[in-house]
Amino acid sequence: MEFRQLSYFIAVAETGSISAASRQVHVAQPALTRQVRLLEEDLGTRLLERHARGVSLTVAGQALFEEAVQLLDRRTRIRTRLSALGQGLIGKVSLGVTVTHLWVPEVAALLRRYRDRYAKVAFEVFPLLSGPQLERLREGSLDAGILYLDSAEQPGLETRLLQHDHLMLAVPEASRWSASPPCRLAELADADFVWGFRSVSPVYYDRVMAHFARLEFEPRVVQYGADNITILSMVAAGLGIAIVPSASSAHPMPGVRFLHLEELTACDMPLWLAWRSSNDSPALHNLVGLVDKVFGEGGVSSPGQAG
């Protein structure tokens, strides 16, 4: 029993005539008659009662007609769904984004464009720091991540450079630093700093500390926060000052003033998109394909290494 035979049979059943069905499906009458007879032989029962005015369905023919209509409809739905999956028009994508970068205009534009273009894809966005993102990417529970990496070469991952970030100083608006901004880090030697834990973003933490080591500067840390939003909330409360990615200023916080220092601007903090090399999801690769349109063509793309 073939789908083609079922289509011919349905046409005969609906028109009540071999000749009318032949015209409807654009198949020569002898060929159509042969296919219907082959279908009857395959099923081992008569499907049509043939008479002078045309044909009518037997009991078996009526049962097959009802089942065949549903079967062909289901076939159409399956083919449509598989085609949409193959084009990434439906499916599911999970994306991690560092908390700091959720409000960066380019990141927001990427999320918005993907949602607008692929409205039927289940698009999940998780605010995660770089450390947890990297773990989830490698274990396969996250499709892609926007995060800090120490280099383009990441075992098992493909990466694409999104943009270069740098550091800024965040101080309470009511502090003396807000009224009289420092010019060098050395002026902050006795200041109280709010800092983040290394475990939540090792790459970011190590890169910042290496930069400070080159400048022979060591912040006096008195408070710790779990992420940049928490840290900036502490700064706004007057618990200290903080050094944060410049992307933090994309979402101004009441009570916090962001200050540029040349020594902080010199610390390059590249932001990357990363995804598993083995992930062949069309929905994911549609997301990757939007990156150049949002962030520009100047990014660096690197294939992942096996491992």
Side-chain angles (χ1 to χ4, degrees):
M1 183 169 59
E2 301 175 1
F3 283 112
R4 176 186 55 166
Q5 293 172 334
L6 291 177
S7 298
Y8 295 164
F9 172 72
I10 289 174
V12 172
E14 289 177 339
T15 61
S17 165
I18 296 290
S19 58
S22 172
R23 292 190 295 272
Q24 179 174 302
V25 297
H26 306 290
V27 173
Q29 186 170 328
L32 188 147
T33 300
R34 172 174 167 74
Q35 290 300 321
V36 172
R37 289 194 181 279
L38 287 173
L39 179 61
E40 288 179 316
E41 291 174 8
D42 184 38
L43 296 175
T45 186
R46 285 187 306 109
L47 302 173
L48 301 175
E49 293 285 359
R50 295 162 177 83
H51 44 77
R53 294 185 177 181
V55 297
S56 59
L57 297 177
T58 64
V59 172
Q62 182 62 41
L64 177 62
F65 173 74
E66 294 170 359
E67 294 288 346
V69 169
Q70 294 182 36
L71 183 60
L72 292 184
D73 284 348
R74 179 165 174 76
R75 179 198 186 204
T76 299
R77 290 195 299 270
I78 290 173
R79 294 182 67 172
T80 300
R81 181 171 182 270
L82 293 179
S83 176
L85 279 170
Q87 297 175 60
L89 301 178
I90 61 175
K92 178 181 177 182
V93 171
S94 57
L95 174 69
V97 183
T98 55
V99 178
T100 299
H101 292 89
L102 281 170
W103 291 278
V104 170
E106 292 85 355
V107 173
L110 177 64
L111 303 184
R112 183 174 60 254
R113 283 200 191 185
Y114 190 82
R115 178 74 287 159
D116 290 345
R117 186 168 298 187
Y118 305 103
K120 294 185 179 180
V121 174
F123 189 32
E124 300 177 331
V125 179
F126 298 95
L128 293 168
L129 294 170
S130 297
Q133 278 195 58
L134 201 53
E135 291 176 5
R136 292 185 59 177
L137 282 169
R138 286 180 169 150
E139 70 183 18
S141 60
L142 191 68
D143 291 315
I146 293 177
L147 71 168
Y148 291 117
L149 296 171
D150 51 8
S151 70
E153 285 70 36
Q154 298 292 322
L157 301 180
E158 290 193 41
T159 60
R160 183 162 299 177
L161 180 63
L162 298 181
Q163 63 184 25
H164 290 278
D165 204 351
H166 58 270
L167 300 176
M168 294 183 73
L169 182 65
V171 303
E173 279 188 344
S175 70
R176 63 188 180 94
W177 303 116
S178 180
S180 181
C183 295
R184 299 181 61 84
L185 288 174
E187 299 175 46
L188 305 174
D190 298 325
D192 293 339
F193 276 87
V194 183
W195 216 250
F197 298 104
R198 182 184 184 277
S199 59
V200 298
S201 190
V203 171
Y204 172 82
Y205 185 98
D206 291 346
R207 200 175 187 93
V208 171
M209 297 310 293
H211 183 69
F212 289 165
R214 290 190 292 270
L215 297 174
E216 298 182 347
F217 174 73
E218 184 174 351
R220 185 164 68 89
V221 179
V222 298
Q223 297 282 338
Y224 284 89
D227 54 45
N228 276 329
I229 298 299
T230 304
I231 290 171
L232 290 172
S233 296
M234 291 179 171
V235 171
L239 302 183
I241 63 176
I243 290 172
V244 295
S246 61
S248 302
S249 62
H251 181 60
M253 293 189 65
V256 177
R257 183 180 178 192
F258 294 97
L259 304 175
H260 289 278
L261 270 74
E262 185 176 339
E263 291 171 322
L264 295 180
T265 303
C267 184
D268 182 32
M269 302 296 297
L271 185 69
W272 299 82
L273 176 74
W275 66 98
R276 285 180 64 85
S277 306
S278 58
N279 191 336
D280 60 357
S281 163
L284 166 64
H285 288 280
N286 284 339
L287 174 66
V288 175
L290 284 178
V291 167
D292 285 341
K293 296 178 182 178
V294 175
F295 287 88
E297 300 287 346
V300 177
S301 183
S302 171
Q305 302 171 349

